[in-house]
Structures are given as C-alpha cells and as structure tokens.
Amino acid sequence: IISLNNLLSSFELIDTWPFMHPDKSGFTRFNKDASQHSRIDFIFVSKSLANHISSLTLLPFPFSDHYGISINISFPDSPKRGP
C-alpha cells in the first residue's frame, strides 16, 4: 500500500470513491453470503479531472463477487459533437 500511495502522490491522482462519496464505504467485493467485504476495485483520476466527475456509482454484476464501477465525466465548456 505504501507503493500505491507513492504512485498516487507522484502523479497527483485521487481515489474517486471517497472524493464523491465521503460517507459511504464503497465495498466492491463480497463473499457469497455477504459476511465479508472489501474495497479492491478503484478508479483514480488527476485532481483537475476530479472536479468534472458528474456521477460515480457501484453496479452489481450477476455471477460475480465484484461490483462494477461506473463513472461519468462531464466537460460543460466543450463543444457539442455530432448532428
């Protein structure tokens, strides 16, 4: 974990889950009877990009002991694309 913290610090990255949901655990892995859980899946972004996150949610995945993580990033000043 020290190496991960050094990497995050060196590249000025943040963990998006506590940034968006400071009061929620964000567990992403559960055993079959949900008696044990952990947070082992992450999305890291730069500090400047973090301010553009519009949503971050956990999604249950059938047939898996992990939840998926969905992130939406919005740039309101960017030009519209497409028809």
Side-chain angles (χ1 to χ4, degrees), residues 31-43:
N31 66 345
K32 290 183 184 197
D33 66 2
S35 63
Q36 296 179 344
H37 45 270
S38 55
R39 187 167 171 264
I40 59 174
D41 303 289
F42 302 88
I43 296 178

Side-chain angles (χ1 to χ4, degrees), residues 23-62:
D23 299 327
K24 296 182 180 178
S25 64
F27 295 128
T28 58
R29 188 213 161 263
F30 298 85
N31 66 345
K32 290 183 184 197
D33 66 2
S35 63
Q36 296 179 344
H37 45 270
S38 55
R39 187 167 171 264
I40 59 174
D41 303 289
F42 302 88
I43 296 178
F44 301 113
V45 299
S46 67
K47 292 178 181 179
S48 60
L49 188 60
N51 293 319
H52 297 282
I53 298 172
S54 55
S55 68
L56 184 71
T57 55
L58 297 180
L59 306 168
F61 262 78

